[in-house]
């Protein structure tokens, strides 16, 4: 029996494990992978208009031909398209590439501080009214922003929230996950396997983990996914990959005991550290987009047009001083130095907001 979750007060049943079609180069070989995943019960597929320049949606469109109603499609529009008119245009592009006339869950991928949520949500509500999208979803927001979006909605509500969640990054457990549980917002965990880095770096921890996996006759990845979906509103979307498709489907057909759930939670309880920003060097390693800002001047200039820009995000941090920010990710370097491998915009925004004087919250790894 595969684990499923109900989309709040609707008749829509979501698989607890779906398929991610993230920003990787895709080709037609992926069609049969997605089909197999759907047959194995992973009939929710996550994508975005800009993943592989639209090719992710195009491949999905081919994979769902003839079985559209069996599949739950979750796509997203880019923050450059958060304005009222741009949302209405972006959806047409997605519908065309997906070769469908409706999207099940349409998600705002990132906030764009230049565009008020009200404007974006007016477009979303119009799309619901037109039947082009069924449910409104969000991604990559802080709690106060989620609440703000909720207030900006007139006739609709937020059905899902997509965010990074895995053993290593448990930031959402502070306040976002409890809020989503209270509001029955499906929480879609992205990078659920920490992009393939879930194996503990510490050998003693690894042994305990292996023992638990052995007990259930499952792999570590399956235990990692099962631990995530043991949380009431959480579903996980590991990237769909021929190598792992059966393994991932097999993560939803068992339940770890409460005792093992707690044991795993304690095993991965890395609390973020606070690191002086001048000890951190911004590295291009680990970023899919290898262009990074090396200096505060470059970050302020924002020549790479990141949305939100470091400056805009800095403003948000200044206005919400009490809100804990998502930790950046560092690797231990020489002496007391660190390399920043994830969270470059967040890092520069923090430096700008606090004039380089306040330590930043960070998860630290030994290696990439
Ligand atoms: N909303 C957002 O901003 C956002 C951001 C990122 C991702 N996402 C979504 O989340 C999905 C998943 O995220 P992700 O790709 O970052 O992370 P992930 O699924 O945690 O990691 C995928 C990587 O983990 C490795 N891996 C190890 N065991 C695996 C297994 N059993 N199944 C699949 N992969 C396994 C694979 O590497 P090897 O092939 O090298 O072994 C693979 O490249 C994406 O496809 C996308 O739809 C959304």
């Amino acid at each position: 029996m595969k684990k499923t979750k109900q989309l709040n007060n609707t008749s829509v049943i979501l698989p607890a494990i779906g398929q991610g079609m993230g920003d990787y180069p895709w080709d037609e070989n992926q069609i049969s992978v997605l089909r197999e995943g759907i047959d194995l019960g992973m009939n929710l597929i996550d994508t975005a208009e800009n993943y592989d320049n639209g090719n992710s949606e195009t491949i999905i469109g081919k994979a769902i031909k003839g079985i559209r109603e069996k599949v739950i499609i979750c796509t997203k529009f880019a923050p450059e398209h958060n304005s009222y008119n741009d949302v209405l245009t972006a959806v047409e592009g997605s519908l065309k590439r997906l070769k469908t006339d409706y999207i099940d869950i349409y998600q705002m991928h990132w906030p764009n501080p230049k565009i008020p949520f009200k404007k974006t949500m007016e477009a979303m509500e119009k799309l619901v009214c037109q039947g082009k999208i069924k449910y409104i979803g969000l991604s990559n927001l802080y709690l106060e922003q989620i609440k703000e979006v909720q207030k900006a909605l007139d006739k609709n509500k937020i059905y899902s929230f997509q965010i990074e969640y895995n053993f290593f990054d448990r930031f959402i457990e502070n306040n976002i996950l409890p809020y989503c549980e209270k509001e029955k917002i499906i929480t879609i965990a992205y990078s659920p396997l920490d992009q393939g880095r879930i194996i503990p770096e510490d050998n003693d921890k690894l042994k305990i983990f292996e023992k638990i996996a052995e007990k259930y006759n499952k792999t570590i990845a399956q235990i990692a996914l099962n631990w995530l979906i043991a949380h009431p509103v959480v579903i996980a979307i590991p990237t769909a990959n021929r190598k792992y498709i059966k393994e991932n489907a097999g993560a939803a057909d068992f339940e770890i005991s409460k005792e093992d759930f707690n044991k795993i939670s304690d095993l991965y309880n890395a609390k973020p550290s606070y690191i002086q920003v001048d000890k951190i060097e911004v590295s291009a390693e680990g970023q899919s987009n290898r262009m990074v800002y090396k200096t505060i001047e470059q970050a302020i200039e924002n020549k790479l047009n990141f949305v939100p820009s470091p400056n805009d995000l800095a403003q948000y941090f200044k206005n919400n001083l009490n809100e804990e920010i998502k930790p950046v990710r560092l690797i231990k370097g020489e002496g007391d130095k660190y390399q920043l491998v994830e969270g470059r915009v967040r890092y520069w925004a923090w430096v700008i907001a606090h004039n380089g004087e306040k330590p930043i919250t960070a998860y630290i790894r030994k290696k990439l």
Side-chain angles (χ1 to χ4, degrees):
M1 182 71 177
K2 293 257 185 263
K3 275 191 147 198
T4 55
K5 311 264 161 133
Q6 185 188 6
L7 194 64
N8 189 5
N9 281 337
T10 71
S11 57
V12 180
I13 303 297
L14 310 174
I17 309 274
Q19 307 192 68
M21 278 286 287
D23 197 13
Y24 302 98
W26 299 110
D27 61 34
E28 304 239 331
N29 290 319
Q30 189 65 11
I31 296 171
S32 57
V33 177
L34 291 172
R35 285 254 179 181
E36 187 181 349
I38 294 164
D39 288 344
L40 290 167
M42 296 186 291
N43 65 325
L44 176 144
I45 304 179
D46 178 71
T47 179
E49 62 165 337
N50 55 351
Y51 287 167
D52 194 19
N53 294 316
N55 192 40
S56 167
E57 289 184 332
T58 302
I59 297 290
I60 295 167
K62 293 181 182 175
I64 61 171
K65 194 170 173 211
I67 52 164
R68 172 66 188 95
E69 66 293 345
K70 269 197 190 173
V71 184
I72 294 152
I73 300 289
C74 310
T75 191
K76 322 180 190 79
F77 52 91
E80 294 80 358
H81 295 157
N82 280 10
S83 75
Y84 180 83
N85 284 332
D86 287 347
V87 173
L88 300 184
T89 309
V91 81
E92 298 301 333
S94 290
L95 290 170
K96 205 164 154 196
R97 285 185 292 276
L98 289 161
K99 288 203 170 57
T100 181
D101 52 8
Y102 69 96
I103 288 159
D104 298 273
I105 302 181
Y106 201 35
Q107 306 160 102
M108 180 174 79
H109 204 155
W110 289 91
N112 178 342
K114 292 207 160 47
I115 297 160
F117 291 140
K118 185 84 192 143
K119 293 285 161 220
T120 315
M121 290 305 130
E122 273 169 19
M124 292 284 245
E125 298 211 88
K126 179 165 181 167
L127 293 175
V128 173
C129 223
Q130 292 175 332
K132 291 184 180 175
I133 70 171
K134 291 204 163 160
Y135 303 104
I136 296 172
L138 306 173
S139 180
N140 297 313
L141 299 179
Y142 287 103
L143 179 60
E144 289 311 312
Q145 294 174 313
I146 300 175
K147 290 181 180 170
E148 229 182 284
V149 174
Q150 190 63 75
K151 279 194 207 129
L153 284 165
D154 183 19
K155 297 192 179 68
N156 292 276
K157 57 184 173 194
I158 302 160
Y159 280 89
S160 70
F161 177 61
Q162 186 174 141
I163 188 80
E164 180 172 6
Y165 187 31
N166 52 51
F167 281 154
F168 194 65
D169 188 333
R170 294 171 59 183
F171 172 69
I172 66 163
E173 291 177 6
N174 297 345
N175 55 22
I176 292 176
L177 189 55
Y179 179 78
C180 288
E181 282 175 0
K182 183 166 82 58
E183 298 294 318
K184 297 197 172 61
I185 296 171
I186 286 289
T187 305
I188 307 179
Y190 77 67
S191 303
L193 298 165
D194 195 13
Q195 299 175 350
R197 301 185 209 106
I198 40 140
I199 308 287
E201 288 179 333
D202 175 326
N203 241 339
D204 291 340
K205 286 188 176 180
L206 178 59
K207 277 193 197 126
I208 301 174
F209 209 140
E210 282 173 336
K211 228 175 167 181
I212 296 174
E214 220 172 88
K215 176 171 158 191
Y216 293 92
N217 200 15
K218 294 285 178 184
T219 64
I220 290 187
Q222 287 174 321
I223 298 287
L225 293 172
N226 197 273
W227 176 85
L228 282 174
I229 63 174
H231 297 81
V233 292
V234 176
I235 69 167
I237 48 165
T239 291
N241 183 320
R242 196 181 298 283
K243 251 195 296 187
Y244 306 116
I245 203 83
K246 288 199 177 71
E247 182 180 352
N248 291 351
D253 60 11
F254 73 109
E255 205 163 291
I256 44 173
S257 67
K258 190 89 198 120
E259 194 194 345
D260 288 328
F261 175 88
N262 291 337
K263 216 187 254 179
I264 295 170
S265 303
D266 291 346
L267 210 55
Y268 278 90
N269 59 356
K271 295 274 172 284
S273 309
Y274 288 86
I275 306 292
Q276 287 294 346
V277 294
D278 59 357
K279 302 264 186 275
I280 299 172
E281 185 194 318
V282 181
S283 161
E285 300 261 341
Q287 298 283 356
S288 46
N289 174 353
R290 298 203 149 242
M291 290 180 291
V292 294
Y293 298 135
K294 293 275 186 191
T295 63
I296 189 167
E297 290 76 20
Q298 289 174 357
I300 290 170
E301 198 187 1
N302 194 31
K303 245 191 181 161
L304 299 171
N305 288 323
F306 290 133
V307 179
S309 70
N311 245 339
D312 286 340
L313 195 56
Q315 200 50 50
Y316 178 80
F317 290 164
K318 279 193 216 167
N319 294 342
N320 296 274
L321 286 176
N322 293 330
E323 187 153 12
E324 189 78 3
I325 72 158
K326 180 172 155 64
V328 295
R329 193 171 287 206
L330 305 177
I331 297 179
K332 188 88 184 73
E334 299 279 303
D336 60 355
K337 297 281 184 211
Y338 297 88
Q339 281 203 326
L340 181 129
V341 289
E342 245 174 77
R344 60 205 154 158
V345 173
R346 220 155 50 243
Y347 169 78
W348 285 119
W350 187 259
V351 174
I352 296 166
H354 301 289
N355 300 318
E357 284 162 9
K358 204 168 169 184
I360 191 165
T361 162
Y363 289 120
I364 302 167
R365 276 252 153 130
K366 288 189 193 134
K367 53 183 193 307
L368 202 60

